[in-house]
Amino acid sequence: MQRTGRFLFAVLVVLFSAATSQATTTAEAQQKASFVRLDRVTASRALTHGIEIRSGAAVMQITALRVDVLRVRVGPAGQLPEDASWAALAAARASSAAVTPESNGTSVGFKTGKLHVAVQKDPLALTVTDMEGHVIAAQMPQRPIEFNGASFRVYMQSPADEHYFGLGDKSGPLDRRNEAFTDWNTDAFGWQESTDPIYKSIPYFLTFRRGVSAGIFLDNTWRASFEFNKEYRDGYSFGSEGGPLDVYILYGPEPKDVVEKWAWLTGKTPMPPMWALGFQQSRYSYYPEAEVRRIATRLRNERIPADVIWLDIDYQLKNRPFTVDPERFPHFDQMIQDLKAEHLRAVVITDLHIADLPNAGYKPYDEGVAGDRFVKNPDGSTYVGVVWPGKAVFPDFTQKAAREWWGTLYADFVSKGVAGFWNDMNEPAIFEVASKTMPDDVQHRIDEPGFQPRVASHLEIHNVFGMENSRGTFEGLLKLQPNVRPFVMTRASYAGGHRYAATWSGDNSSTWNHLRQTVPQLLNLGLSGFAMSGADVGGFAGSPQPELLTRWLEVAAFQPIDRDHTAIGTNPQEPWENGTPEDLNLRRRYIEERYRLLPYLYTTTEEMSRTGLPMMRPLFLEFPKGAVDGQPLDLNDPGSFVLGADLLIAQSPYPDEMDDYSVALPLGGWYDYWTGERVTGNKERKAIDNSHAKQDEIHLHRSLYTLPVFVRAGAIVPEQPLVQSTDEKPEGPLTLRVYPPTEPGEACRGSVYVDDGVSYDFKKGESLRMSFTCDVTGPGVTVRVEPHQGSFAPWWNQLAVEVYGRSKPAGGASVSGLDGSSKRAVETGFDSEHHRITALVPDSGKGLELQLMN
């Protein structure tokens, strides 16, 4: 058996070496192209789904994956790069759409059902337009694509009124215009608004011009850079110091269309467990065990709804991943069960640096060495770097087998009942070196389906290392519990990493500027795929002022992940700390409102998992034509965003200032979420297409007590009775908050989605979806509830219908089945303070129609 095993291993080594040699030959060919400029077309040939162009020795291939998605690949030495990707799904890359050639004396190209592709011959310049003539993407003719050795740069035209969004959690304004960025995942403790790079590399951005949007994705894991209007005021550029020139162009025309195509290309965020939407309490670190129990007890005693307590590195023995300190946590297993009994889940940190402990009985190290799972130095020895446990070694996550082994390390924690896992420090962060990370020449052995087996330097793998770490965790948890939705939080990632993990904005600071920075950062993360994201509420580095913590908890109640987290050595930052009883009451009130909104939040989350649309949206995504003076509404507003389709949160753009401020509301009518009043603007302007008047410049008074929240006219928002955790069954009816449209004939709709919140049984139809509509006529308001869809039994059997914007009681009310049968009178109430009429009706699941007469 030993001889057979050695023989098989030797065969595998030979095969791996041969594949590596082939890949290396291709790489060497790229390097030998010391300087190549694609300045003119010297030859071209039509393809069934695109065109191939020659510019001297260089080759460019432009293909249509769909009628609205293009791929552009360039090989400077005449050979296209390997067709492999850590980000783009194999099925998407294999897709193709038939095209019609379009050529003339000055250009070659083709058209799809939605786009024209033209390559000017001399100088060579690619232009993509839609059928209406809008320029989607166009090269700068005076700056052709250039390769200098392995590096390259692409220059694109930038009209003065075009704007750019995305690139992940880069700091700075929402609009990337007049900014420049580097992609190189970096441990950036205490980052500031001007800090770059930070934790993630997502080389993808959206363009937006006059309501028309496109997406540009450079699928390249090497160190890359993007600059917008820095070198040329009428141009932007992107490039990399190595790797492939492989670009995708995604056409909208609306921003939502682009986001959905991004999800088609790189995958959708999987449906998280419902408890991930609850309030989460954390710090670096809660220890010993008695402190964890104290926090849990205080949360429940203070009646602060909560679902999660996080454990940072100090629960471990000497900071060694996958261990528990027996002195600090003598009853760890029982503690996890006791937390579960209080409907609190534990999320624990499991960093990727495995302590370098030979002959010490440390399972992760021993198994990793036995399986040859760790990253290597160029001489073949195992790379060792210093991190939290001291000397550490690192799994080679570019190997499928290494990721599968990593996933098995979670078995013990899962069996104990730990609910979620936190992959931190995975840029990867290394201490005691100037670079803060692994040396450039560290070797990774790519052994992954879809890739040629080969050895790659850390320069190529660095930006994808954290994503593959979280992938190993996610896939490992699925194997351990195939019908339980994993929850993984990662700090570092790459494009497509949202398939495996939620994320947060890293080690922010307890400053007003960082509260202000949170909204644009989370919005750009959502546009980049990471819809399940959050920021350390209250700030990580430093201790917040009481008002800062209160305001941060208020706005975080309307963001995807709501986690209060702070650093070691800072003041306590739980909701009952750092403030007065009045602060505690305010903080509790907003957390409670989050739990009342859970049906809306969960329905929005399910939409995210189906379509890729983020939960937290910039205004231009939801209202691409709702612009003032031809500009998107929120380019310079770091406080406003839309939660789902219907709730607009309008934090002050400068929350530390005492001044009143104004908010520009998009097209259509709006209601005040807190009072139920219809909102009237101070003045009106026209949309850029002059189709509708819009309400503009709503003047708001800065108040600690009320975070301005508005509801879109025509929305029906589902809510539930207050619970203390997502485990708790709400007692009472499902509330439908109806906000009638303000203009005749405008849509009025809403929906709610429910399932068990933890499993994948919804894929087998065990879910419930309900749709609602309303209609405003002369006699009154009619609310229609469609029959239940799906087999899941809801927790309610009654509906509390609340119709807002009312100034007097209903003149009468009746309810009937959708077929008009069983019509009967219904009692109604009138709440003048909240401008609403209320009615309680049974929900049989067969649908109903409620009529409220004026």
Side-chain angles (χ1 to χ4, degrees):
M1 289 293 293
Q2 285 184 339
R3 289 174 188 161
T4 302
R6 288 171 182 167
F7 175 74
L8 289 173
F9 180 76
V11 170
L12 287 173
V13 168
V14 170
L15 292 174
F16 186 89
S17 299
T20 301
S21 176
Q22 180 182 353
T24 302
T25 301
T26 302
E28 287 175 351
Q30 301 279 82
Q31 294 282 356
K32 287 178 181 177
S34 57
F35 180 80
V36 173
R37 174 179 289 167
L38 279 72
D39 54 2
R40 62 190 181 91
V41 175
T42 56
S44 66
R45 67 183 181 95
L47 305 174
T48 58
H49 59 299
I51 190 170
E52 185 173 281
I53 291 166
R54 296 280 172 171
S55 180
V59 60
M60 171 189 284
Q61 193 176 90
I62 309 167
T63 55
L65 304 186
R66 304 173 17 157
V67 294
D68 46 16
V69 177
L70 306 174
R71 187 181 184 188
V72 182
R73 301 168 67 204
V74 177
Q79 182 177 349
L80 291 175
E82 178 187 5
D83 188 3
S85 176
W86 300 102
L89 300 176
R93 289 186 291 111
S95 297
S96 63
V99 304
T100 302
E102 286 188 327
S103 301
N104 55 43
T106 60
S107 68
V108 294
F110 60 87
K111 71 174 179 179
T112 72
K114 291 191 176 182
L115 298 172
H116 291 278
V117 176
V119 180
Q120 182 177 290
K121 291 181 179 180
D122 192 5
L124 189 156
L126 168 67
T127 299
V128 180
T129 57
D130 67 11
M131 295 302 171
E132 286 71 47
H134 299 117
V135 176
I136 306 306
Q139 279 183 260
M140 297 181 71
Q142 69 272 33
R143 288 305 307 264
I145 296 171
E146 291 181 351
F147 285 81
N148 284 280
S151 68
F152 62 84
R153 194 138 206 98
V154 178
Y155 290 83
M156 306 294 288
Q157 296 178 30
S158 174
D161 56 350
E162 187 166 80
H163 303 273
Y164 309 99
F165 308 91
L167 293 177
D169 63 347
K170 299 294 190 184
S171 58
L174 178 66
D175 185 4
R176 304 306 193 189
R177 192 175 180 96
N178 297 315
E179 303 287 332
F181 304 95
T182 298
D183 273 359
W184 185 252
N185 293 356
T186 301
D187 178 4
F189 173 80
W191 59 266
Q192 296 302 318
E193 195 167 1
S194 58
T195 304
D196 184 72
I198 53 176
Y199 305 98
K200 281 170 278 294
S201 296
I202 306 179
Y204 163 75
F205 59 92
L206 283 78
T207 68
F208 185 82
R209 184 188 184 209
R210 299 182 183 179
V212 178
S213 188
I216 308 293
F217 173 41
L218 172 63
D219 194 0
N220 182 300
T221 63
W222 295 63
R223 187 183 185 97
S225 61
F226 299 79
E227 64 83 21
F228 300 92
N229 320 103
K230 290 287 190 180
E231 185 175 359
Y232 297 98
R233 64 180 179 180
D234 58 351
Y236 67 85
S237 70
F238 54 85
S240 177
E241 63 180 28
L245 203 177
D246 192 352
V247 176
Y248 296 81
I249 301 172
L250 293 70
Y251 170 61
E254 292 194 351
K256 274 189 177 181
D257 300 322
V258 176
V259 171
E260 292 185 9
K261 291 175 181 69
W262 177 241
W264 172 82
L265 180 64
T266 61
K268 298 165 186 171
T269 301
M271 191 69 177
M274 182 182 283
W275 58 260
L277 298 176
F279 178 67
Q280 308 181 31
Q281 187 59 57
S282 181
R283 79 166 290 130
Y284 168 31
S285 289
Y286 286 136
Y287 72 91
E289 181 181 313
E291 177 66 2
V292 179
R293 294 179 179 274
R294 184 187 73 83
I295 295 297
T297 300
R298 190 70 184 268
L299 283 166
R300 293 298 177 233
N301 288 347
E302 295 287 356
R303 302 291 294 170
I304 297 171
D307 270 82
V308 185
I309 293 179
W310 291 61
L311 300 183
D312 211 318
I313 61 175
D314 290 297
Y315 80 91
Q316 301 170 139
L317 177 62
K318 299 181 179 179
N319 296 332
R320 298 168 186 170
F322 300 100
T323 66
V324 174
D325 188 325
E327 292 187 8
R328 289 176 171 175
F329 290 84
H331 311 101
F332 182 84
D333 299 13
Q334 187 61 50
M335 181 194 73
I336 298 297
Q337 295 305 312
D338 291 344
L339 291 175
K340 289 177 69 176
E342 291 293 328
H343 304 296
L344 289 165
R345 288 167 169 82
V347 173
V348 305
I349 201 166
T350 52
D351 289 336
L352 75 172
H353 38 250
I354 300 298
D356 184 20
L357 287 177
N359 306 314
Y362 179 42
K363 177 183 174 181
Y365 178 85
D366 293 342
E367 288 186 353
V369 169
D372 192 21
R373 304 302 185 204
F374 298 130
V375 170
K376 304 290 186 180
N377 290 308
D379 63 4
S381 62
T382 298
Y383 168 74
V384 178
V386 175
V387 208
W388 291 119
K391 291 183 177 180
V393 292
F394 301 81
D396 195 349
F397 294 108
T398 56
Q399 299 179 55
K400 183 174 186 289
R403 292 196 308 273
E404 290 177 343
W405 161 72
W406 170 263
T408 67
L409 297 177
Y410 290 92
D412 186 48
F413 279 146
V414 168
S415 69
K416 295 178 190 301
V418 175
F421 298 94
W422 179 10
N423 292 159
D424 199 1
M425 306 293 289
N426 53 356
E427 289 72 30
I430 306 292
F431 297 164
E432 300 180 2
V433 292
S435 69
K436 298 184 179 181
T437 195
M438 292 178 179
D440 294 348
D441 60 358
V442 161
Q443 304 291 291
H444 301 266
R445 292 160 291 168
I446 297 177
D447 192 3
E448 167 72 12
F451 285 79
Q452 296 177 0
R454 58 187 175 86
V455 174
S457 75
H458 189 66
L459 286 170
E460 178 180 352
I461 301 304
H462 175 87
N463 283 340
V464 80
F465 197 68
M467 179 175 92
E468 293 305 294
N469 167 218
S470 61
R471 178 183 180 183
T473 304
F474 180 86
E475 292 176 346
L477 295 175
L478 270 182
K479 283 189 176 181
L480 291 169
Q481 295 181 301
N483 200 33
V484 175
R485 303 175 208 172
F487 179 79
V488 181
M489 175 76 83
T490 187
R491 189 168 74 177
S493 198
Y494 180 69
H498 57 269
R499 300 193 296 260
Y500 314 116
T503 194
W504 87 109
S505 58
D507 296 340
N508 61 358
S509 300
S510 298
T511 65
W512 290 101
N513 194 45
H514 273 243
L515 170 58
R516 183 174 179 266
Q517 176 66 55
T518 297
V519 169
Q521 201 164 15
L522 297 187
L523 290 175
N524 274 317
L525 272 169
L527 291 173
S528 305
F530 279 93
M532 283 297 293
S533 60
D536 286 345
V537 175
F540 181 72
S543 301
Q545 302 163 32
E547 182 183 344
L548 174 59
L549 179 57
T550 300
R551 289 189 181 277
W552 212 320
L553 282 163
E554 288 177 354
V555 73
F558 298 92
Q559 294 173 349
I561 292 178
D562 187 4
R563 182 182 75 148
D564 180 349
H565 183 55
T566 190
I568 193 168
T570 62
N571 293 334
Q573 198 166 288
E574 295 76 32
W576 55 84
E577 300 283 5
N578 190 19
T580 65
E582 184 178 43
D583 283 309
L584 172 57
N585 290 335
L586 276 172
R587 296 164 185 172
R588 183 192 295 112
R589 172 193 164 198
Y590 278 86
I591 295 171
E592 289 177 343
E593 199 62 34
R594 181 181 183 88
Y595 277 75
R596 290 190 180 96
L597 271 169
L598 275 173
Y600 178 80
L601 282 169
Y602 198 63
T603 302
T604 302
T605 303
E606 191 273 337
E607 180 188 28
M608 167 201 74
S609 72
R610 281 187 295 109
T611 67
L613 291 174
M615 301 166 64
M616 183 176 169
R617 305 170 185 177
L619 271 64
F620 78 85
L621 186 70
E622 199 62 43
F623 306 95
K625 295 188 182 301
V628 180
D629 295 338
Q631 299 301 321
L633 283 165
D634 56 355
L635 288 183
N636 297 304
D637 181 357
S640 296
F641 61 93
V642 185
L643 178 61
D646 296 321
L647 297 185
L648 193 160
I649 290 78
Q651 177 182 245
S652 169
Y654 297 94
D656 54 331
E657 292 184 352
M658 300 299 293
D659 306 284
D660 291 353
Y661 61 101
S662 297
V663 172
L665 295 177
L667 293 171
W670 291 86
Y671 292 80
D672 187 303
Y673 176 79
W674 305 110
T675 69
E677 280 187 288
R678 283 180 57 179
V679 175
T680 303
N682 304 101
K683 64 178 181 177
E684 293 187 347
R685 294 184 182 178
K686 294 284 185 179
I688 53 177
D689 61 359
N690 290 320
S691 58
H692 292 85
K694 66 170 294 296
Q695 295 173 334
D696 183 30
E697 293 188 15
I698 306 300
H699 293 304
L700 298 173
H701 177 65
R702 180 184 179 275
S703 168
L704 182 62
Y705 304 99
T706 303
L707 172 69
V709 179
F710 302 98
V711 190
R712 189 205 300 238
I716 302 178
V717 178
E719 292 194 354
Q720 70 179 31
L722 179 63
V723 294
Q724 292 299 301
S725 84
T726 58
D727 279 348
E728 185 180 337
K729 179 182 176 181
E731 296 294 334
L734 175 71
T735 297
L736 304 182
R737 299 180 64 157
V738 180
Y739 299 88
T742 56
E743 298 290 337
E746 291 189 346
C748 176
R749 79 291 173 271
S751 65
V752 67
Y753 172 85
V754 187
D755 58 28
D756 65 20
V758 293
S759 78
Y760 288 103
D761 288 348
F762 66 87
K763 294 184 176 181
K764 299 181 289 186
E766 295 183 28
S767 63
L768 171 68
R769 194 184 305 276
M770 291 173 62
S771 298
F772 326 111
T773 59
C774 78
D775 186 36
V776 180
T777 61
V781 178
T782 300
V783 179
R784 181 184 174 97
V785 178
E786 299 296 331
H788 291 189
Q789 297 178 355
S791 61
F792 189 78
W795 48 262
W796 68 86
N797 54 31
Q798 290 182 308
L799 301 174
V801 180
E802 301 177 348
V803 180
Y804 286 85
R806 303 292 96 180
S807 59
K808 62 181 181 178
S814 63
V815 65
S816 62
L818 292 183
D819 58 0
S821 61
S822 306
K823 188 171 184 178
R824 64 177 180 82
V826 174
E827 290 187 4
T828 62
F830 177 63
D831 179 351
S832 60
E833 181 183 358
H834 295 97
H835 306 272
R836 67 188 174 197
I837 295 172
T838 60
L840 187 65
V841 297
D843 179 23
S844 67
K846 297 179 180 180
L848 60 89
E849 193 169 270
L850 173 67
Q851 293 182 326
L852 300 172
M853 307 304 291
N854 289 333

